[in-house]
Amino acid sequence: MKLYKVVQGAVVEEEGSFYQLDQIVWDNLINRDDLYAYLQNSIQDISPEKDSSKLLENIESPIGSQEIWASGVTYYKSREARMEESEDGGDFYDKVYDADRPELFYKGNAFRTAHPGGELYIRKDSKWDVPEPELTLFMTSNAKIVAYTIGNDMSSRSIEGENPLYLPQAKVYDKCAGLGPCLFITENPIPENTQITLDIFRNNEKAFSESIGIDQMKRKHTDLVEFLFRECSFPTGCFLMTGTGIVPPNEFTLQAGDKVSITIEHIGTLTHTIAQK
Ligand code: DO4
Ligand code: MG
C-alpha cells in the first residue's frame, strides 16, 4: 500500500485503486504503530476515485514536523569512496564501517527538503557534488518501522573530503534532501532483494546509471533504529536514510540542470532537477 501527501490531504493507493483521505493532520496520520491496519480500515468506508490523475498532481514530500536523520558508511562502496576523497586518507571511515556503533547524523527537516519533481541544490562553495540514493525508513515515536520511502542525501564531496569535521556543512543546507514520492507501507519488512537504481541525465542523455540491492548493506535496519532512539525521542516519529551503496566515479560532479532519478522497487521513482540557490 502507498500513502501520498498531497496539498488537499492524503491519497492511499491500494491494488491499483486510489482513495482520498480528507481533513487529515499528517503527523497524526502517520505516527501510528498500526499504520498498515489503520489505513486498510480507513479505506473500507471510502469509494475509490474514478479519475486518479488529478489526485496526484501536486505530490508533496511525505514529511510533517519530523526530523530526517541519515546513516553513513553502511555499504562497502561508501567506505571506499570516502577514503579516496579524504585529504588525509580517511582511516576513520574504515573504522566506522567495522565498529558496533554506526555513523548517524542529522540531515534536516521539511524546510530543507525538496518536493518530488522540484529542485535540489548544490552549494556554491562546493566543487564536487553527488546525489546519494538511499532507502529511507519511517519510524513512529515508539521506534517501530512502519513505512519506507526514497531519500536523496545530497552531499558535497569536496567539503567532506577537506576535513571530516565539515560533514554537517557537506550534508545540511537549503534543499539538501529529497524525500518521497510516497510512503510504502507493508505488514512485513521490505523484501531483502529490493533494488535501488540511480540515473543521472545531462542534456537529456544518461550520464550515469547504477543499481544495488539493499542486501549489500552491512547493518540491519533495526540496529540503526536502536542506536538512533537510544537517547533521542521523536514525538511525531522520524525518518532515517540508511546510507548509499552507489557513488558515481570520482571525476563526476553534478551540474545545474542535471536530472536525478532514484528508483526503489516497491516504492517508485523520485526525480529532481539540480540547481543552485
Ligand atoms: O561519512 C559520511 C557520510 C556517509 C554517507 O552519507 C553515506 O554513506 O551514505
Ligand atoms: Mg548518505
Side-chain angles (χ1 to χ4, degrees), residues 70-75 78 82 93 103 105 132 134 153 155 160 167 171 242-244:
S71 322
V73 202
T74 51
Y75 289 80
S78 178
R82 313 273 164 198
Y93 289 117
E103 180 196 356
F105 58 92
E132 294 192 354
E134 307 193 8
D153 171 24
S155 298
E160 180 183 271
L167 184 82
K171 294 287 193 178
T242 57
T244 189

Side-chain angles (χ1 to χ4, degrees), residues 232-264:
C232 283
S233 43
F234 299 99
T236 56
C238 179
F239 288 90
L240 178 61
M241 296 182 176
T242 57
T244 189
I246 301 177
V247 183
N250 289 350
E251 57 279 9
F252 180 88
T253 185
L254 284 171
Q255 291 175 7
D258 288 352
K259 287 215 175 349
V260 174
S261 270
I262 303 170
T263 300
I264 302 187

